[in-house]
Amino acid sequence: MLEPAIAQALERKFITESENHILLYATRNETVKASHLSEIAPMLKSNQRTYQIRCLGEQGMLQPIHEGARIYTVMFCK
């Protein structure tokens, strides 16, 4: 159900193409962690994958499943 919102965010350039792929993956699989991004964007290095996750978290689009977790779920908030 979040896919139309993600598509609209990409269309309006609120998110990048990479962020779009990450959010779609998280939506379809319910969670995402940095190591999953090697499947989505194999060209990214480990620190780049972590950076992408952190940026989406700071934007309020991903949230850890619990305090201190490194597994995230989609959560549009701010």
Side-chain angles (χ1 to χ4, degrees):
M1 297 301 288
L2 290 175
E3 291 183 26
I6 295 168
Q8 189 174 46
L10 177 64
E11 182 180 305
R12 293 181 179 181
K13 305 218 184 288
F14 293 143
I15 60 172
T16 66
E17 191 69 40
S18 295
E19 292 169 333
N20 176 60
H21 291 302
I22 294 166
L23 291 171
L24 289 175
Y25 181 93
T27 300
R28 293 174 183 152
N29 295 285
E30 296 185 17
T31 62
V32 66
K33 57 183 179 176
S35 64
H36 292 157
L37 300 188
S38 61
E39 301 169 23
I40 303 165
M43 67 295 233
L44 294 178
K45 295 179 180 163
S46 177
N47 61 335
Q48 292 171 313
R49 293 191 298 259
T50 302
Y51 176 77
Q52 289 288 319
I53 296 280
R54 186 175 64 234
C55 287
L56 287 168
E58 288 171 355
Q59 293 176 35
M61 295 184 190
L62 287 180
Q63 175 178 322
I65 58 171
H66 59 76
E67 184 80 27
R70 293 184 182 175
I71 300 172
Y72 302 86
T73 189
V74 175
M75 179 65 68
F76 292 142
C77 62
K78 260 245 168 173

